């Protein structure tokens, strides 16, 4: 019988007893089904896996058809920024809190995963943001983000001043605590806490969400994701600034710098069980009301 996937990579949350237990269970389950299983080396050492099956995350992306991430959304984000470079499908086992990106139950994943392995799954692509910092027209640093890029000061509740452009068209100047630029994936994360809109995953859109702006007329703005967003930092800012990517990676920004945020070239291939429904996830995670009839 032809297999949809041949080589499967396991990625987990380091030094987490629950995640390790699930990884061991997954390893045994997949081995019994005859799959070649590689394990990301940081968690593989804790599991006592033979060294020839341990690989770095980049090599896992190169060699595997499917990657299974065990942990919370944070673990999925960290893995996704790397795995999106490769043609590898990604699915998550929830060992975190909310779990917007991790579908499978860590205690009862077998039936759903068997369906996925048999080719019965839903697939979607989620685009990432590419974030670049320029100083005197020279690229100083860059990185990617699955959820959002956030411009902010390195101090809490510290107002900054900047201008925003879209495709070189001036949009607004603003004094605020910062600005969130999010993808549809990130619209249910930090942006949602800041009053941003929920963008369904299939939308080719980004949201710009001001953080505590010094005006009542400032509102979130949704734009086509094929646009390029440029933020120009005022020279009047008197402190060091930052661009945070998914709250994991921080790029330093100085007064006068320009930040370019645009859609990345390589999307993440995210797969779900056949019965997955995005709206069901929203109802569960956000405690929306169930059907009346």
């Amino acid at each position: 019988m032809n297999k949809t996937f041949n080589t499967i990579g396991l990625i987990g949350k380091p030094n987490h007893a629950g995640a390790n237990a699930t990884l061991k269970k997954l390893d045994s389950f997949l081995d019994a089904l005859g799959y070649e299983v590689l394990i990301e080396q940081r968690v593989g050492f804790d599991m006592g896996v033979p060294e020839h099956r341990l690989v770095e995350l980049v090599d896992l992306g190169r060699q595997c058809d499917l990657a299974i991430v065990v942990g919370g959304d944070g673990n999925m984000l960290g893995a996704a920024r790397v795995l999106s470079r490769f043609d590898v499908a990604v699915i998550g086992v929830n060992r975190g809190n909310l779990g917007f990106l991790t579908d499978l139950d860590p205690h009862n994943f077998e039936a759903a995963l068997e369906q996925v392995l048999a080719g019965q799954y839903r697939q979607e692509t989620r685009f990432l943001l590419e974030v670049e910092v320029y100083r005197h027209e020279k690229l100083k640093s860059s990185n990617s983000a699955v959820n959002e890029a956030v411009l902010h000061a390195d101090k809490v509740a510290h107002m900054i001043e900047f201008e925003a452009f879209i495709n070189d068209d001036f949009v607004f100047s603003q004094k605020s605590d910062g600005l969130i630029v999010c993808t549809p994936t990130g619209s249910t994360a930090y942006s949602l806490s800041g009053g941003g809109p929920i963008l369904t995953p299939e939308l080719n859109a980004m949201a710009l969400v001001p953080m505590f702006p010094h005006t009542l007329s400032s509102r979130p703005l949704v734009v086509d994701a094929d646009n390029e967003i440029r933020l120009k930092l005022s020279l009047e800012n008197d402190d060091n600034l930052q661009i945070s990517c998914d709250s994991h990676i921080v790029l330093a920004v100085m007064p006068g710098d320009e930040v370019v945020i645009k859609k990345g070239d390589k999307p993440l291939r995210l797969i779900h069980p056949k019965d997955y429904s995005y709206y069901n996830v929203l109802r569960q995670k956000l405690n929306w009301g169930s059907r009346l009839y």
Side-chain angles (χ1 to χ4, degrees), residues 103-122:
D103 299 330
L104 300 180
D105 185 339
H107 306 293
N108 189 29
F109 61 77
E110 291 86 352
L113 184 55
E114 272 198 278
Q115 286 189 337
V116 169
L117 296 174
Q120 300 177 36
Y121 58 83
R122 295 176 181 269

Side-chain angles (χ1 to χ4, degrees), residues 182-223:
C182 78
T183 64
T185 304
S187 69
T188 52
Y190 191 38
S191 172
L192 185 65
S193 300
I198 293 176
L199 306 177
T200 54
E202 75 278 4
L203 290 176
N204 185 52
M206 299 181 286
L208 285 69
V209 182
M211 299 169 60
F212 304 102
H214 197 60
T215 171
L216 295 177
S217 62
S218 185
R219 292 291 182 267
L221 175 65
V222 178
V223 301

Side-chain angles (χ1 to χ4, degrees), residues 159-171:
M159 190 168 289
I160 62 177
E161 187 172 6
F162 59 93
E163 294 177 336
F165 298 80
I166 296 178
N167 295 336
D168 292 326
D169 284 339
F170 174 70
V171 182

